[in-house]
Every structure is written in C-alpha cells, then in structure tokens.
Amino acid sequence: MCSHWVLLAFCCLGQLCADQSLKPQIAAPHLATNNPTLTTVALEKPFCMFDSSLSPNKSYVIYLYAMKESASAISSLVTDNNSKPLNSTFQQTNGGQRGPYKAALFNVPNCASPPKLADVGDVNKVSDVLKQYLFRVGDDGTCLYDPNFLAVCNPPLAPDTTYRFKYVLVDSTEGMMKDQTIWSDPVKTRRVKLPLKIDTWPGRRSGGMIVITSILSVLVFLLLAGFLASVSSAVTVSEDPSAEIRRMSRTIQQSEPRPQLSSE
C-alpha cells in the first residue's frame, strides 16, 4: 500500500515537472549563434508540446506572445474572459511595456516528423532546418512602417531589455484558446557598446590611446620624411661638380692677397 502511494507521488511530481517544462526555450547555441542579439531572440518552436490537446479533424495554430519583464503580472493575461486570445499589437502595448503583444502566428509543428538536426551540418539544408525548428522574435524591421502590412507584426526588440515569451494553442475554427505554456524564463537582449568600451584588438586599447598612437605615428612619419629629404639634398649637391668648382674658386679668390697701391 505504501509503495502504491510512493509511486503515485512520483507520478504526480513527474507530471508537475513536465507541465513546468512547457515553456518557450531559447535556441541552443549550436543552432543560433550570437543569440540573443541587440534586437532579436531565437526561440525553439513548440514541438510536441500540445499533442495531448490536439483533437482529430480540428485545425490549430500557434500564437507567440512577447512581453517586457517590467510589465505587471496582472497584465500578463493573453486571453479575454471568453478564452479568446488577445490580438494586442506591438503599438498598443508600447512594445510589450503595458502587457503581452502577439508577435507571431504559425502552424503547429509536426511532432511526428520533426526536422533532422543532423542536417544542420549540410550547407544545402541548414537554412530550411533552422526555419522549421526555430522562430526569431524581432526579425521584421519594416512592418511597423508599412501601411499595407496586414499580417502579425514582429518588429525589432529593444536593446538591453528583458523579455518573456509564451506559446498559445488556438482552435482556428472556433477562435478559442485550447492550451498554453507558462511564460518563459527572462531573456535579455544585448547591450549597445559605447565607442570607448569597444574591444580594439590587439591590446584592448581605449579610444584615447588609439588617438594618441595615431598622432605619434604621424609625427614619426613627418620626422622620417624630413630626414630623408635632407639626406637626398646633400647627396644631390655632392654630385654636382660645377657647383663644387664654383665654391672652390670663390674660396681661392678670397684667400689671394690684393696688391697695395704705391703712395707715389
């Protein structure tokens, strides 16, 4: 009897851990280098996350919501009172500051035949595999300014800002939310480096040191150019025999005594 309760407890704990793991995950480093960037975050798509919520002969889509971590917990809901997913936009939420906005809409990933991650090493297949397996939040730099854009807008994220993300399973026919993940762990975009803090390899010199080094280099070049010009001038003079003869003639004339006039 005791062992039965222990087994039941482990099963419940396992289910709890499984539920807690149902959240958007940042892409693995070997699939998305330099992630996150200043304005984007690459996430793994929700493969096999919602299998238990899928019904046959039904059509589903995935909504991806994004929200700044600084937004209040009260405003983190992504559905209304009728379980309909919100269509809040980037502009309406001030880029996720006032609550979550819908950043993407895509088909439910096929859990039965996921992309082969081994194909990432194939140059001809890597682009297609990554497109199937990953989604990059903040990858559209034009939708906010295009008056004819009608799809879900996925504009660039703010640098040095922490975001959270959530996947929602939506019944396309009824327009109702059927399942959802918990909010992701906080993900912070990169910070813009100031010019004086940029790693100026080699030596990791600061901006001031680079300016001083440049000035000294110019001065050394000018001194070297002046020295070479002096040497060249001296060589040119020594190679002119007529100039040397004229100089010697003047010296002899100056050294000869001049005849004195008689007083008579």
Side-chain angles (χ1 to χ4, degrees), residues 41-224:
V41 175
L43 300 174
E44 296 178 0
K45 287 185 177 180
F47 278 91
C48 308
M49 280 190 178
F50 299 118
D51 280 9
S52 60
S53 301
L54 300 177
S55 300
N57 303 321
K58 286 278 190 177
S59 177
Y60 299 93
V61 292
I62 300 292
Y63 286 3
L64 170 61
Y65 287 90
M67 176 182 67
K68 290 183 180 180
E69 190 183 30
S70 57
S72 64
I74 299 177
S75 62
S76 64
L77 297 177
V78 295
T79 59
D80 59 18
N81 295 331
N82 297 319
S83 295
K84 289 189 175 183
L86 300 178
N87 288 316
S88 49
T89 65
F90 184 91
Q91 298 97 319
Q92 292 170 345
T93 62
N94 192 24
Q97 181 66 45
R98 294 193 291 265
Y101 67 91
K102 187 164 64 174
L105 182 156
F106 50 84
N107 294 327
V108 180
N110 189 349
C111 183
S113 58
K116 297 179 181 179
L117 297 183
D119 290 339
V120 172
D122 189 333
V123 177
N124 298 321
K125 298 180 180 180
V126 59
S127 178
D128 186 56
V129 170
L130 294 180
K131 185 177 180 180
Q132 293 180 60
Y133 191 73
L134 304 178
F135 182 83
R136 188 172 291 276
V137 188
D139 202 31
D140 192 338
T142 61
C143 61
L144 285 178
Y145 313 103
D146 185 356
N148 300 318
F149 188 84
L150 301 177
V152 178
C153 188
N154 178 31
L157 304 175
D160 193 25
T161 304
T162 303
Y163 289 86
R164 290 181 183 268
F165 307 97
K166 177 193 282 282
Y167 286 127
V168 176
L169 178 67
V170 179
D171 185 323
S172 301
T173 305
E174 300 177 1
M176 305 289 286
M177 186 272 291
K178 291 300 180 182
D179 202 352
Q180 62 180 322
T181 67
I182 61 175
W183 285 98
S184 71
D185 295 331
V187 181
K188 190 173 186 178
T189 52
R190 293 183 183 272
R191 178 185 302 178
V192 179
K193 286 188 177 182
L194 298 176
L196 295 179
K197 295 184 178 180
I198 295 177
D199 184 5
T200 54
W201 182 91
R204 298 182 176 229
R205 297 182 178 87
S206 66
M209 291 180 65
I210 293 176
V211 173
I212 294 174
T213 302
S214 301
I215 294 175
L216 291 177
S217 299
V218 173
L219 291 176
V220 170
F221 172 77
L222 293 176
L223 289 174
L224 182 60

